[in-house]
Amino acid sequence: MAGIYIHIPYCKQACYYCDFHFSTSQRTLPAMIDAICQELNLQKDYLPGKPSLQSIYFGGGTPSLLSPLHLERILNTIYKIHHVETDAEVTLEANPDDLSLEKLQSFYQLGINRLSIGIQSFQDDVLRQLHRAHSAKQAIEAVRQAQAVGFRHISIDLIYGIPGVSHNRWLKDIEQALALQVGHISAYCLTIEEKTVFGRWYQKGKLTPTDDAVAAAQMALLIERLEAAGFVHYEISNFALPGQFARHNSSYWKQLPYLGVGPAAHSYDGHSRQANIANNALYIKSIAAGKVPAQGEVLSPQDHANELLLTGLRTIWGCSLSRIRQYLTPRQWDGLQQEIARYVAEGYLQLENDTLRLTKKGKFIADSILEALFVVD
């Protein structure tokens, strides 16, 4: 099994916290659709062994900006080139302000069966603070309309650790998400990225990040409330009701191969990774000349070990130590075991047979643990 990721690099406006690759000008959009379809053909043999596709994911940027005709063209191209499983997960990232009833119906008829809706907050002043283009009312209506159209797999994104947002207000967002009865919730702690509006404000002293202890307390509220509502905390930032895990994202964490198409898209074939150029004009020009503008990297044994740690430890499935060991020298393996033993003794990691997992306590310092476990020469 494998997946395809399509990067749609356009947004109506720039959110103040986002450092993903996108453009607020849609002037090149028609040429971009041509290029994406052409790249799908150029990359038709990238996935080893011509595997069946279990997932197709439109990310960005804001894929919901596309017309149904654009999406149909890309999907038809994929289906002509690849064998797609009949029950494949087809996900579209969307913003609430794009999701009219008519557009939702068109998406559903195209075979899109999962929506990932970027809501971030259900409070209008917070949405303005983040420079989001939608209102709280639009967010609620978008979810309800999607459910009415027939979407049974809906994920919503939320952000915590926002400067000035109290625990009580964060809890209101969680309760509103639960009231909408969606099956999947992704929640991310706000990080101040250097090349963003928030990053520039921080450098100028105009923005004070939320204290780590406050962010951790909001994460604890999130875990407690969602688990009480029956959600499984199956990845550091992702919660789902049973049967509602995101199949495409899970394939990343399970190290399954995937093809990334579009500017800034990444791909993984099991042995190497490649990344497309993060420039719309140069991407379109290169694809028109018949060349995929990508830089590749063959993974070293050490890289494989570290990726297994990075992806596996973030999930409920954990990572197999015997699988990691096969990539390491005896010296590297001994050093890793010593670090693991220290975190197990301190209650941050648990080792059950061959599987290493974060404990509940460990999830709060996951980045620090991973940094300590990473194998170096």
Side-chain angles (χ1 to χ4, degrees):
M1 293 292 183
I4 287 184
Y5 171 85
I6 309 290
H7 189 78
I8 307 299
Y10 302 100
C11 290
K12 284 181 181 175
Q13 62 187 46
C15 300
Y16 287 166
Y17 55 87
C18 181
D19 70 343
F20 290 172
H21 172 67
F22 67 91
S23 170
T24 54
S25 168
Q26 297 177 43
R27 181 179 54 83
T28 60
L29 197 155
M32 183 64 69
I33 302 301
D34 290 342
I36 285 171
C37 291
Q38 179 63 10
E39 188 190 352
L40 282 164
N41 281 288
L42 291 171
Q43 299 260 53
K44 65 181 187 299
D45 297 320
Y46 176 81
L47 294 169
K50 285 280 187 180
S52 295
L53 298 183
Q54 68 165 350
S55 64
I56 300 168
Y57 193 104
F58 290 91
T62 311
S64 54
L65 283 175
L66 297 188
S67 72
L69 287 176
H70 287 146
L71 289 168
E72 183 177 29
R73 186 175 167 206
I74 295 171
L75 285 169
N76 284 345
T77 303
I78 293 172
Y79 275 83
K80 284 177 183 175
I81 297 169
H82 298 278
H83 178 265
V84 181
E85 293 292 308
T86 55
D87 67 341
E89 177 190 84
V90 184
T91 303
L92 182 81
E93 287 186 353
N95 279 343
D97 42 300
D98 294 327
L99 297 180
S100 66
L101 185 61
E102 181 183 12
K103 209 167 186 181
L104 282 164
Q105 289 169 335
S106 296
F107 291 160
Y108 189 72
Q109 288 164 4
L110 284 175
I112 292 165
N113 52 32
R114 184 175 183 273
L115 292 176
S116 179
I117 305 176
I119 289 174
Q120 318 314 350
S121 175
F122 290 102
Q123 300 172 59
D124 285 332
D125 62 324
V126 178
L127 292 170
R128 288 191 293 271
Q129 181 182 350
L130 299 174
H131 202 230
R132 297 290 292 168
H134 67 271
S135 67
K137 182 181 178 183
Q138 283 176 307
I140 293 167
E141 287 180 350
V143 174
R144 288 177 174 160
Q145 286 186 328
Q147 290 167 331
V149 164
F151 284 97
R152 294 293 171 261
H153 295 273
I154 298 173
S155 177
I156 62 174
D157 286 0
L158 297 175
I159 295 177
Y160 61 93
I162 299 170
V165 176
S166 67
H167 292 350
N168 283 338
R169 296 190 74 190
W170 168 234
L171 193 56
K172 286 181 180 179
D173 276 348
I174 299 170
E175 295 299 340
Q176 178 61 75
L178 290 172
L180 287 172
Q181 297 183 308
V182 294
H184 192 287
I185 296 172
S186 298
Y188 304 95
C189 184
L190 180 71
T191 53
I192 308 300
E193 303 291 352
E194 184 180 354
K195 296 179 180 179
T196 63
V197 171
F198 279 172
R200 291 191 290 274
W201 287 356
Y202 172 68
Q203 290 295 329
K204 294 176 182 177
K206 293 171 61 178
L207 178 71
T208 302
T210 298
D211 184 80
D212 287 346
V214 173
Q218 293 187 355
M219 180 180 174
L221 277 173
L222 174 77
I223 295 170
E224 179 183 5
R225 187 64 191 92
L226 292 190
E227 287 187 341
F231 281 73
V232 179
H233 189 191
Y234 75 104
E235 194 271 343
I236 290 289
S237 302
N238 289 275
F239 303 77
L241 294 174
Q244 292 267 1
F245 291 10
R247 199 185 306 173
H248 185 86
N249 291 341
S250 294
S251 72
Y252 294 157
W253 304 319
K254 293 179 179 180
Q255 296 279 291
L256 297 176
Y258 61 91
L259 169 64
V261 175
H266 290 238
S267 303
Y268 172 64
D269 66 1
H271 305 285
S272 64
R273 294 193 179 277
Q274 69 177 33
N276 286 355
I277 191 170
N279 181 299
N280 290 359
L282 292 179
Y283 168 81
I284 291 168
K285 183 178 179 180
S286 182
I287 293 295
K291 178 176 171 53
V292 178
Q295 287 192 327
E297 175 193 13
V298 176
L299 299 180
S300 68
Q302 180 179 304
D303 292 333
H304 277 291
N306 286 336
E307 289 205 359
L308 288 168
L309 284 165
L310 175 65
T311 55
L313 269 187
R314 293 180 61 89
T315 72
I316 58 170
W317 305 293
C319 52
S320 164
L321 288 186
S322 60
R323 189 178 175 194
I324 291 170
R325 184 177 185 177
Q326 68 181 329
Y327 293 111
L328 301 179
T329 65
R331 180 182 59 80
Q332 289 172 328
W333 173 243
D334 288 343
L336 178 61
Q337 282 187 298
Q338 290 174 19
E339 288 296 323
I340 288 172
R342 177 166 70 90
Y343 282 105
V344 168
E346 293 173 356
Y348 294 107
L349 290 173
Q350 61 180 25
L351 181 58
E352 187 177 355
N353 297 322
D354 180 53
T355 303
L356 185 69
R357 295 185 182 89
L358 290 171
T359 62
K360 198 163 193 172
K361 175 179 161 183
K363 291 176 182 177
F364 289 87
I365 60 165
D367 289 344
S368 298
I369 293 172
L370 285 166
E371 186 178 349
L373 294 185
F374 273 9
V375 178
V376 295
D377 289 330

